[in-house]
Structures are given as structure tokens and as C-alpha cells.
Amino acid sequence: QVQLVESGGGLVQAGGSLRLSCAASGRTFSTYAMGWCRQAPGKEREFVAAINWNGGIIYNVESVKGRFTISRDNAKNTMYLQMNSLKPEDTAVYYCAADKSTGTWRYWGQGTQVTVSS
């Protein structure tokens, strides 16, 4: 079993930055692919970014490409999402996820709220 805890969300003005963190515990962190998803009110949960076990393969959706950076520090069992040039449409609850070896994310965090004001 893996436990994931997100932190770093908050309220920022458009154009500002936030850095989200996801701390993992319970099982071997370094062997898992990790990712970030988000869900805005009234919308379905959407995938944002993913990173493989050693950080060598990264994928970002087009809407955040060039603004968000996903990274991980396996020594600290932590994954990060650096969010720059934030837009109001980025407002959502952001969830950390781990282990997509079965085709879907197996472990999820509780989420952290990101609100971007105009």
C-alpha cells in the first residue's frame, strides 16, 4: 500500500506561481510512475502530467506545456509540480497519483486546491 499526500495549493493571481508537492510512503516509491490530475467543479477529472520511475520520461498535456514542470526526488520520496504563468482556467483540485502498471492509476492522494484569480 502507498499513501500519497499533496501540499502547496492555495490562492494566487493570474500570472503567479505555485509549487505542488506529493509525499509518498508505504512502499518503494522509486519504482512507480507518478502523475498529476486535476478536477474543476462541474468537469471530469483530467490528466495533467506524468513522470516515469527515474524522471527520464516526462509528458505534459498541451494546455500546460511550457508553464508546468513535473519532477521527482526519489531520495525524498517526493514528486513536484511547478506551476508558472497560472491562468484562471487552471483552478481545480489537483491530485497526485502513482502506479499505472495496470493501465489505471492505483494510488491517489486527497487533493490540494489551486485557485487562480483574475
Side-chain angles (χ1 to χ4, degrees), residues 24-67:
S25 63
R27 293 184 67 182
T28 303
F29 173 79
S30 62
T31 65
Y32 293 133
M34 303 284 293
W36 291 96
C37 298
R38 65 186 181 185
Q39 187 166 21
K43 295 185 177 181
E44 296 182 356
R45 181 176 58 192
E46 67 171 337
F47 168 76
V48 176
I51 186 168
N52 80 322
W53 72 274
N54 68 355
I57 302 174
I58 294 172
Y59 177 79
N60 302 294
V61 297
E62 288 295 325
S63 61
V64 307
K65 194 169 295 183
R67 300 188 298 118

Side-chain angles (χ1 to χ4, degrees), residues 1 3 8 10 16 19 21 23-24 30 38 40 45 52 58-59 71 74 82 89 91 98 110 112:
Q1 187 68 253
Q3 185 176 32
R19 189 194 192 198
S21 298
S30 62
R38 65 186 181 185
R45 181 176 58 192
N52 80 322
I58 294 172
Y59 177 79
S71 62
N74 289 345
Q82 178 66 47
E89 52 262 43
T91 295
Q110 294 297 110
T112 185

Side-chain angles (χ1 to χ4, degrees), residues 6-118:
E6 303 96 333
S7 62
L11 173 64
V12 298
Q13 292 185 336
S17 298
L18 284 174
R19 189 194 192 198
L20 305 184
S21 298
C22 173
S25 63
R27 293 184 67 182
T28 303
F29 173 79
S30 62
T31 65
Y32 293 133
M34 303 284 293
W36 291 96
C37 298
R38 65 186 181 185
Q39 187 166 21
K43 295 185 177 181
E44 296 182 356
R45 181 176 58 192
E46 67 171 337
F47 168 76
V48 176
I51 186 168
N52 80 322
W53 72 274
N54 68 355
I57 302 174
I58 294 172
Y59 177 79
N60 302 294
V61 297
E62 288 295 325
S63 61
V64 307
K65 194 169 295 183
R67 300 188 298 118
F68 292 8
T69 302
I70 188 171
S71 62
R72 66 191 297 165
D73 186 339
N74 289 345
K76 297 181 178 180
N77 289 345
T78 304
M79 177 181 65
Y80 306 96
L81 185 67
Q82 178 66 47
M83 305 186 294
N84 299 325
S85 301
L86 283 162
K87 304 174 181 179
E89 52 262 43
D90 295 318
T91 295
V93 177
Y94 283 71
Y95 297 92
C96 168
D99 192 4
K100 212 170 187 293
S101 61
T102 63
T104 60
W105 295 108
R106 181 174 180 178
Y107 304 107
W108 293 88
Q110 294 297 110
T112 185
Q113 177 71 47
V114 172
T115 303
V116 184
S117 63
S118 300

